[in-house]
């Protein structure tokens, strides 16, 4: 394969995505703010760039997967950012969960440099990605999507085009609010059953065999029995997504009462010193309010 791919943001998800691109045979240039975290990818064949600008100067397609609006601006806008080195005709595949307005402005800046931006957040977790089951929702020019499709398919098999740039971010935010609200409902169900006398582990077993067991609940529900040391999706990150949802709701006149409540309970989790844990730790807030023991921390 002759195409060169760039990847900026090599964290828990981005690093795994980059590895799949390497495994597919693509030449890969990567950048991560903490270079040591990319060491395994370098050993696997990735070239580590000194800056996002260097990535853009070398790549035909660039993927970005960063934390938030501020991080996206930091890797794209400064003199050593992606835009400074942008190659005409290149495609930016922006996968972060960020504000639709921010990605819209970035798309305009890329277009001014004769490039194209695809707004392409994902649905799934590191486990989903490792299993080859990650799905993309994509906003942007359909022709650009067809050019980028082989690279996307190297990462995940399901690609759904939802419309112009910005709509995929909106859809992703809508998806993610459901994760947090579902987890709160699961936590309440476990607490109620336990308070009635059902063993906690047995309550989790029954719920995971019931009609409420969504894919997310199936892999995160057991965390109320033992919280992993390394979070799949920590409290700060899910709260960032819930704030994006609440901002969208205020702008469009949509009522999100369950999102507001879940956000406040996650703030309580931070008050209990639990910010570093997966957001399933909202169970500890419910347990604390219900005079039940917290989750075990593995």
């Amino acid at each position: 394969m002759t195409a060169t791919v760039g990847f900026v943001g090599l964290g828990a998800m981005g690093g795994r995505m980059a590895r799949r691109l390497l495994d597919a045979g693509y030449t890969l240039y990567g950048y991560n703010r903490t270079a040591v975290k990319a060491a395994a990818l370098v050993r696997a064949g990735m070239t580590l760039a000194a800056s996002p600008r260097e990535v853009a100067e070398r790549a035909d397609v660039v993927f970005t997967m960063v934390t938030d609006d501020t991080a996206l601006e930091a890797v794209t806008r400064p003199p050593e950012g992606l835009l400074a080195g942008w190659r005409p005709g290149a495609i930016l595949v922006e996968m972060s969960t960020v504000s639709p307005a921010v990605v819209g402005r970035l798309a305009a800046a890329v277009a001014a440099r004769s490039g194209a931006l695809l707004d392409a957040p994902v649905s799934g977790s590191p486990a989903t990605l490792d299993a080859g089951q990650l799905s993309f929702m994509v906003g942007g020019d359909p022709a650009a999507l067809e050019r980028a499709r082989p690279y996307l398919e190297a990462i995940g098999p399901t690609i759904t085009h939802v419309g112009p740039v910005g709509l995929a971010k909106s859809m992703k935010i809508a998806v993610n609010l459901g994760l947090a609200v579902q987890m709160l409902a699961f936590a309440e169900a476990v607490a109620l059953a336990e308070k009635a006398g059902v063993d906690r582990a047995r309550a989790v077993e029954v719920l995971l065999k019931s009609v409420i067991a969504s894919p997310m609940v199936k892999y995160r529900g057991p965390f109320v029995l033992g919280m992993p040391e390394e979070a799949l999706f920590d409290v700060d990150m899910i709260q960032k997504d819930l704030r994006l949802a609440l901002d969208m709701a205020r702008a469009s006149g949509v009522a999100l009462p369950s999102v507001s409540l879940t956000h406040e309970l996650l703030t309580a989790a931070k008050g209990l010193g639990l910010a570093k844990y997966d957001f399933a730790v909202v169970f500890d807030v419910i347990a604390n309010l219900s005079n039940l023991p917290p989750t075990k921390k593995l």
Side-chain angles (χ1 to χ4, degrees), residues 7-10 29-34 46-52 55 75:
F7 210 111
V8 174
L10 300 167
Y29 284 82
Y31 172 82
N32 199 59
R33 184 175 59 180
T34 307
M46 185 188 79
T47 299
L48 188 63
S51 66
V55 172
V75 299

Side-chain angles (χ1 to χ4, degrees), residues 67-69 97-100 173 176-177 180 234-251 256 259-260 262-264 266-267 270:
T67 306
D68 53 22
D69 291 358
T97 305
V98 296
S99 161
I173 293 164
N176 278 16
L177 74 83
D234 69 26
V235 171
D236 285 331
M237 287 294 290
I238 194 68
Q239 279 201 298
K240 178 263 296 183
D241 291 359
L242 295 183
R243 285 192 295 272
L244 287 170
L246 291 168
D247 287 346
M248 285 177 59
R250 282 189 287 270
L256 298 180
V259 175
S260 297
T262 305
H263 185 276
E264 290 305 309
L266 287 164
T267 298
K270 291 165 72 171

Side-chain angles (χ1 to χ4, degrees), residues 103-122:
V103 80
R105 291 193 293 270
L106 181 56
V110 172
R113 291 160 175 79
S114 301
L117 181 145
L118 291 174
D119 161 24
V122 300

